[in-house]
Amino acid sequence: MDTGLDANPLIRRAWLPFLLIALWINLESVVFGPFSYVPVSEFGETIFPLSMLVSSDALGPGIHYWLPSIACGVDRLANTITHPHPLTLLTRFFPGWIALQLYLLIYYFTPGYFTYRLCVDNLKMSQRAGIFAGAAMACSSGLTGGLGNVTLPMLLWSLDKLLDAGWVRGLLGAALAGFLYSLGASAVVSMPFCYLWGLGWFWLVRGRFSVRFLVLYSVMIACSIPVHLQELWAMLLQAPLSHRNQWTPLMDCGVFGWAKPLGTAISLLFENFTPVTAFAFLGLAVSRFKPGRFGRVWAMLALTVAAAGLAPWIKG
């Protein structure tokens, strides 16, 4: 018989605490119904109104390079949500305020719950530890980059299951997973980085880097590309002209030129991912700085921070 915290219904029904956490994070966007707050930065003034515009068919049918009704023109080639994007589908079938609340619920529930599943099913952590890890992940999922970043834990967990299935089921499942993942992801903002991170996860943490894994992973990536061919074409044509191309400052390429960007990445780790970082270092302290079997997880964290910091230095 379960006793103590393990007998708590929030522990036994693992999805429930993450539903409550998602509702709590979105409380200001839910509590007043249609008059609730809409998160603005990189969402409320961009992706959300654009989704409502696309779903209303105001842009017209078909794929056009320019919008005739606007004299200055709008580059339709760079429009990345003309495909069945989850937010566009929600705004097509629900009023905007309901679509917003459902999207935010998915956005924060998914990384929390599937981080919990990764911890319990793959890393063999206790349920309570998994819930703490999932809660930290949900609270650290900033509303940017679409669903590509926050659905990565679900993608990794699903692929781990498919590696244990038969070849036919594994190939079909990988193809379906890649396609569904691509609908909410971006070929510019999330997919390249998440797929690279997934390789590191299965190599360093899971130790399942095999021919079978490479085949399924390749199928998954291949089936996620067709949805974004238009976006990739736009990126290849227009990236050199983008104002963002000049955002990265030139840095010293000398022997010690990597120190500054790496220091910036470490500071961002504490500023933007405070809950995850706090739980990580608390767990390390409790283990007396002997991570044991979680050493590979720490290696993955170190690799992520190093990649985030050194990319501008390599580019410079």
Side-chain angles (χ1 to χ4, degrees):
M1 179 181 295
D2 293 333
T3 59
L5 287 177
D6 291 331
N8 191 310
L10 292 181
I11 300 293
R12 288 185 285 108
R13 298 175 178 86
W15 57 269
L16 185 56
F18 297 107
L19 177 61
L20 296 176
I21 290 170
L23 289 172
W24 174 254
I25 295 175
N26 299 322
L27 185 62
E28 60 186 358
S29 299
V30 175
V31 66
F32 296 117
F35 305 101
S36 298
Y37 171 72
V38 177
V40 175
S41 180
E42 296 190 12
F43 180 77
E45 85 285 28
T46 53
I47 185 71
F48 183 49
L50 180 57
S51 295
M52 296 184 68
L53 187 65
V54 170
S55 64
S56 67
D57 295 323
L59 296 180
I63 298 176
H64 313 293
Y65 292 138
W66 304 99
L67 186 60
S69 59
I70 300 179
C72 63
V74 174
D75 188 359
R76 294 294 302 278
L77 184 61
N79 188 346
T80 62
I81 59 170
T82 51
H83 62 267
H85 189 280
L87 184 55
T88 304
L89 291 176
L90 288 172
T91 54
R92 182 175 293 275
F93 294 106
F94 297 98
W97 64 277
I98 296 180
L100 169 67
Q101 294 176 1
L102 291 175
Y103 181 79
L104 293 178
L105 191 65
I106 295 171
Y107 196 95
Y108 291 104
F109 173 85
T110 304
Y113 177 73
F114 283 98
T115 295
Y116 161 83
R117 294 250 59 102
L118 285 176
C119 291
V120 173
D121 297 343
N122 298 157
L123 300 180
K124 306 305 179 183
M125 296 168 59
S126 68
Q127 287 184 300
R128 284 167 286 180
I131 287 177
F132 276 117
M137 183 65 179
C139 293
S140 299
S141 298
L143 193 60
T144 184
L147 291 172
N149 295 328
V150 297
T151 53
L152 178 60
M154 179 174 66
L155 192 70
L156 297 178
W157 180 81
S158 301
L159 183 57
D160 211 298
K161 295 292 185 182
L162 292 174
L163 288 175
D164 297 324
W167 271 108
V168 175
R169 182 181 175 186
L171 291 172
L172 292 177
L176 181 61
F179 172 73
L180 294 177
Y181 173 72
S182 70
L183 295 181
S186 166
V188 178
V189 177
S190 55
M191 287 171 58
F193 310 102
C194 289
Y195 279 134
L196 284 173
W197 203 92
L199 285 174
W201 173 265
F202 280 97
W203 174 45
L204 285 176
V205 178
R206 294 295 293 136
R208 306 196 71 178
F209 205 78
S210 61
V211 173
R212 179 183 178 84
F213 163 76
L214 291 175
V215 170
L216 295 187
Y217 208 64
S218 299
V219 169
M220 179 181 291
I221 294 175
C223 291
S224 67
I225 292 177
V227 172
H228 295 276
L229 287 177
Q230 180 181 335
E231 181 183 2
L232 291 170
W233 185 17
M235 181 177 64
L236 291 174
L237 291 177
Q238 302 164 359
L241 305 176
S242 172
H243 65 287
R244 298 193 178 195
N245 190 43
Q246 306 301 323
W247 278 9
T248 302
L250 293 178
M251 296 183 176
D252 178 18
C253 295
V255 177
F256 298 104
W258 51 266
K260 183 178 179 180
L262 186 58
T264 301
I266 294 174
S267 65
L268 289 175
L269 179 67
F270 287 91
E271 293 174 8
N272 296 345
F273 299 95
T274 305
V276 172
T277 307
F279 275 113
F281 280 94
L282 178 61
L284 189 62
V286 170
S287 66
R288 298 180 180 179
F289 297 94
K290 297 179 181 179
R293 62 191 179 93
F294 293 103
R296 293 185 176 186
V297 178
W298 276 96
M300 196 67 201
L301 175 62
L303 183 63
T304 302
V305 174
L310 295 180
W313 176 66
I314 295 173
K315 179 180 178 181

